[in-house]
Amino acid sequence: QVQLVESGGGLVQTGGSLRLSCACSTSITSINVMGWFRQAPGKRRELVATITSGGMANSADSVKGRFTIARDNAKNTVTLQMNSLEPEDTAVYYCYASVFGLGKPAGAYWGQGTQVTVSS
C-alpha cells in the first residue's frame, strides 16, 4: 500500500516562498506520475503540477514560472517549490501518485493534504 505524507505548508505573505515535500512509503521508480493538486474552500480540486517517471514536468498555467516540481527517486520524494506566492494560491495542497498514469483511478493514491495560506 502506497502512503504519501506531505510537509512544508504554512502561512506566508504575498510574494513569499514555500517548499512542499511529499514522502512516499514505497519506491517511486515504478510510479508513472507524481504530482500536486490543490483545493481552495468552495472550489473543486485542481491540478497544480505533475512529473512523470521519466522526469517530464507539467504545470497549470496559473503557476507556470512560479512553481517548480521535482522528484527524487533515490529519496522517494516529490517536492513543489512555490515562489512569488499570491493570495489566490491559498488552498489545501495534496500529493498524488499514480502507478498507471494521470487520471486512472486504479493505482492512484493521495496524501492527507497540507494547508498553504498566503496573506495579502
Side-chain angles (χ1 to χ4, degrees):
Q1 182 75 5
V2 174
Q3 293 183 326
L4 305 171
V5 179
E6 302 101 334
S7 61
L11 173 65
V12 65
Q13 292 185 332
T14 297
S17 298
L18 282 175
R19 184 172 182 267
L20 304 183
S21 183
C22 174
C24 184
S25 61
T26 64
S27 170
I28 66 172
T29 54
S30 60
I31 294 180
N32 189 305
V33 175
M34 296 199 71
W36 293 91
F37 285 70
R38 68 185 181 187
Q39 188 167 17
K43 294 187 177 181
R44 298 178 64 179
R45 190 172 296 189
E46 63 176 2
L47 183 148
V48 176
T50 59
I51 187 165
T52 68
S53 56
M56 184 174 296
N58 186 38
S59 59
D61 289 342
S62 59
V63 306
K64 273 185 172 37
R66 301 188 297 122
F67 291 11
T68 303
I69 189 170
R71 80 190 264 171
D72 187 332
N73 288 343
K75 295 181 179 179
N76 298 322
T77 58
V78 61
T79 58
L80 184 69
Q81 178 65 43
M82 306 186 293
N83 299 328
S84 302
L85 284 160
E86 304 166 352
E88 293 73 23
D89 296 317
T90 295
V92 178
Y93 284 69
Y94 296 91
C95 182
Y96 168 83
S98 177
V99 176
F100 301 114
L102 185 64
K104 297 185 185 299
Y109 302 90
W110 295 90
Q112 80 287 353
T114 186
Q115 177 70 46
V116 171
T117 303
V118 184
S119 64
S120 57

